[in-house]
Amino acid sequence: ETGEAKITKGYNLPCDYVIHTVGPIWRGGKDNEEQLLASCYYHSLKLAMEKGIKRIAFPSISTGVYGFPVKLAAHIAVNVVARFEQEFPKQIEEIYFVLFDRDTEAAYEKEVDKDNQAKQSNENQELINSLKAHIETLQTQLSVANDEKAEKDKQIADLTATVKALGQSINAREHNELAETVQPLIEDGSTSTGKEKKKHWWQRGSR
């Protein structure tokens, strides 16, 4: 039937298989011709995939005596192939169009170029989207790092204020005991040089 496809062995032909499909006769576009032509290509590709065929060649179906407009047929054929490759990626490695004359070749070349440009545009957009997502992730990580740093700075400031308040509230004996404990930790060697030791907040006069 029109739009369907069958497969047979290649027999004496220089190929393993031949896929047979019946294209639609052009009747002005009012008899579902476009959908039927698309079905010819799609069912042929499905048969090839099911048989494990990796290379397939198509003529320009229905554009001969059946009178299908060449430019429209080229548009349909290339779009169906592109859709099939998206639906079943890498199942068929090479797909060819074997065309009868230069005008038909030019029509198919134009459609293939348009499809390649669309694919490149999609790839570029995918790259842009990927970069945007990466930037957003980095911004989130930076924001978290800044929040963590701000929290640590606040904790240090609170601890410093607490220590200073403690130093101001303790009595003289406790103050001296605290000074004796802390002083060795901050010695900078000034004793050995004979220089005066630096006064710190806990050193409130002589002991």
Side-chain angles (χ1 to χ4, degrees), residues 99-138:
L99 307 168
F100 182 73
D101 56 42
R102 186 65 186 93
D103 290 340
T104 304
E105 181 184 10
Y108 277 76
E109 282 181 345
K110 183 177 180 180
E111 291 299 327
V112 170
D113 288 342
K114 285 168 58 178
D115 181 65
N116 287 337
Q117 290 174 4
K119 288 179 180 177
Q120 185 62 52
S121 178
N122 290 337
E123 290 175 0
N124 291 342
Q125 189 59 50
E126 289 177 0
L127 177 59
I128 291 171
N129 292 339
S130 176
L131 290 174
K132 285 182 177 179
H134 184 59
I135 291 171
E136 289 175 358
T137 299
L138 291 177

Side-chain angles (χ1 to χ4, degrees), residues 181-197:
T181 301
V182 175
Q183 184 67 29
L185 300 178
I186 52 85
E187 287 290 351
D188 57 5
S190 58
T191 301
S192 61
T193 63
K195 295 182 180 179
E196 183 182 357
K197 295 180 180 178

Side-chain angles (χ1 to χ4, degrees), residues 167 169-181 202 204 206-207:
S169 63
I170 60 179
N171 59 38
R173 182 180 60 81
E174 292 170 332
H175 178 278
N176 290 338
E177 290 177 356
L178 177 60
E180 290 173 354
T181 301
W202 59 80
R204 299 182 299 189
S206 57
R207 284 179 286 178

Side-chain angles (χ1 to χ4, degrees), residues 32-55:
N32 205 33
E33 297 99 309
E34 294 182 34
Q35 290 78 8
L36 289 171
L37 181 61
S39 181
C40 289
Y41 286 103
Y42 188 79
H43 283 109
S44 297
L45 290 165
K46 284 289 294 290
L47 276 177
M49 180 181 69
E50 290 167 2
K51 285 292 185 179
I53 295 170
K54 295 302 181 182
R55 294 191 302 169

